[in-house]
Amino acid sequence: MESKIKNDINDCLNNLSNEARELYLDRQIPVLANPPSPLEFYRDYVSANKPVLINNAINHWPALTKWNNDYLRKNIGDREVTVAVTPNGYADAITDQKFVLPEQRQLKFSHFLDIIEKPKAENGVLYVQKQNSNLTDEFVSIIGDVDTQISWGSEAFNKRPDAVNFWMGDERAITSMHRDHYENLYCVVRGSKTFTLLPPTDLPHVPYELFDVGTFKEVDGRFIIEPNEDMDKVPWIAIDPLSPDYARYPKYRRAEPIEVTVKAGQLLYLPSLWFHHVRQSHACIAVNYWYDMEFDIKYNYYKCVEALVDIVK
């Protein structure tokens, strides 16, 4: 009886993701020529929990023309910033069957730029990725080159952003697949970012496992993983969507990732709870705005699906 119940739940979950694709999901990320009105944005994308790529949303930003290395070195070169350092480009990701955090270093931004300009001269992959509204803290002296919020987004969400983050790093720096409890307006200022996306309805196909936590640390020129024994195990997505191990995770064959590249001057709306994996061009710069998601009936349904997935496991 228990086996039959689990099979029935599994069939239900598979039907859920199939119906989502048939009824409302786009096969490709739609592209808008211009920013929508707050009403259009909320009605067509936020309410529907659908991503969209938007042109001409940030073309008024001085950052698009100003933020070259010479300008950044002159204006914030002496400022110390937090930099994530890893041996392989994967911070907050699975390495050697552990969830491994990056080594955090405080570097003058001019030193960081020197390394970005000659990355092979440094042992390690560097990425400015501190996600605590670092633009309004460590990079506040250049905040005037961008907007402190996306006005039509703030009106649609009926709130100001909870965090505004500055991102810059090596092309080898990869963001492993995960989901966030935020509505995300992601703006590329320089270079490009490529997102591999999965909708929340693909949750039944996405393999989560529990991992011990460690932190990278460079010792005598080589990186080790120091165990974080005081931290609980972390649930994390165990698969690389660019090279999925179908033998180990056969359910992932049912997932249908969507890929979108965001170029300089473009804005991607990434809805809450969408799974995303991100790679970038070298020295890419981006600014993103996180708005707290609404914990409404859609979230309740999502948690129900999550509970059903746990039962099947």
Side-chain angles (χ1 to χ4, degrees):
M1 175 63 74
E2 180 179 343
S3 176
K4 182 182 184 308
I5 291 173
K6 286 187 176 182
N7 288 336
D8 288 345
I9 293 174
N10 195 54
D11 289 343
C12 177
L13 292 171
N14 290 335
N15 289 336
L16 171 73
S17 58
N18 291 337
E19 287 181 355
R21 292 190 186 92
E22 293 172 4
L23 296 176
Y24 88 98
L25 288 175
D26 300 301
R27 295 292 177 176
Q28 295 181 325
I29 304 301
V31 181
L32 300 183
N34 293 292
S37 70
L39 174 61
E40 290 168 334
F41 178 54
Y42 188 85
R43 179 191 63 204
D44 297 339
Y45 302 104
V46 179
S47 179
N49 194 248
K50 291 168 57 173
V52 61
L53 184 64
I54 304 170
N55 290 306
N56 295 312
I58 61 170
N59 56 354
H60 60 286
W61 284 9
L64 290 174
T65 54
K66 283 186 175 182
W67 283 7
N68 56 52
N69 286 6
D70 290 339
Y71 175 86
L72 296 173
R73 189 175 272 111
K74 178 181 178 181
N75 285 272
I76 56 173
D78 290 335
R79 190 171 182 94
E80 284 203 344
V81 300
T82 305
V83 180
V85 186
T86 65
N88 56 4
Y90 284 86
D92 304 329
I94 307 305
T95 299
D96 295 340
Q97 288 302 299
K98 289 184 175 63
F99 177 77
V100 187
L101 304 167
E103 180 177 347
Q104 301 278 3
R105 297 181 188 170
Q106 296 298 122
L107 300 179
K108 283 192 174 183
F109 197 70
S110 58
H111 185 196
F112 169 77
L113 290 174
D114 291 340
I115 296 169
I116 288 296
E117 289 171 350
K118 295 181 179 179
K120 292 184 180 178
E122 183 74 12
N123 183 29
V125 178
L126 276 64
Y127 195 13
V128 174
Q129 59 145 37
K130 191 175 181 182
Q131 299 154 45
N132 64 340
S133 205
N134 65 348
L135 184 65
T136 63
D137 178 18
E138 295 180 338
F139 294 90
V140 68
S141 55
I142 58 171
I143 200 170
D145 296 334
V146 301
D147 291 333
T148 56
Q149 61 177 324
I150 303 299
S151 58
W152 45 268
S154 294
E155 186 171 344
F157 298 131
N158 195 31
K159 63 189 73 172
R160 293 181 64 87
D162 184 62
V164 185
N165 301 305
F166 176 98
W167 309 76
M168 182 178 182
D170 192 307
E171 65 183 338
R172 295 171 293 171
I174 304 292
T175 301
S176 67
M177 183 165 276
H178 67 289
R179 67 189 174 195
D180 295 314
H181 292 75
Y182 286 104
E183 308 289 355
N184 192 348
L185 298 180
Y186 203 101
C187 310
V188 174
V189 175
R190 190 173 93 180
S192 64
K193 297 252 185 179
T194 298
F195 289 74
T196 302
L197 305 177
L198 286 170
T201 46
D202 271 7
L203 172 63
H205 318 316
V206 176
Y208 271 89
E209 294 180 8
L210 285 173
F211 295 93
D212 290 325
V213 181
T215 302
F216 283 121
K217 183 177 181 180
E218 188 177 8
V219 179
D220 297 328
R222 69 183 187 90
F223 282 89
I224 64 170
I225 298 175
E226 286 192 335
N228 292 13
E229 296 176 351
D230 57 335
M231 295 182 66
D232 293 335
K233 288 179 180 287
V234 169
W236 204 254
I237 296 171
I239 201 165
D240 178 358
L242 303 183
S243 182
D245 185 346
Y246 292 123
R248 185 172 182 178
Y249 306 110
K251 286 187 176 182
Y252 191 75
R253 288 186 181 276
R254 290 183 173 271
E256 295 185 20
I258 306 171
E259 188 170 285
V260 59
T261 296
V262 187
K263 300 177 182 178
Q266 294 183 311
L267 180 155
L268 174 68
Y269 167 54
L270 179 59
S272 56
L273 301 178
W274 273 68
F275 301 100
H276 52 288
H277 170 283
V278 192
R279 56 196 193 274
Q280 63 190 351
S281 62
H282 191 69
C284 174
I285 301 177
V287 173
N288 88 299
Y289 301 79
W290 271 335
Y291 293 81
D292 283 326
M293 67 174 287
E294 294 295 326
F295 293 89
D296 54 13
I297 189 66
K298 289 186 292 184
Y299 179 72
N300 288 339
Y301 280 126
Y302 180 82
K303 295 300 289 183
C304 177
V305 171
E306 197 171 53
L308 292 172
V309 169
D310 288 341
I311 290 173
V312 172
K313 284 182 181 178

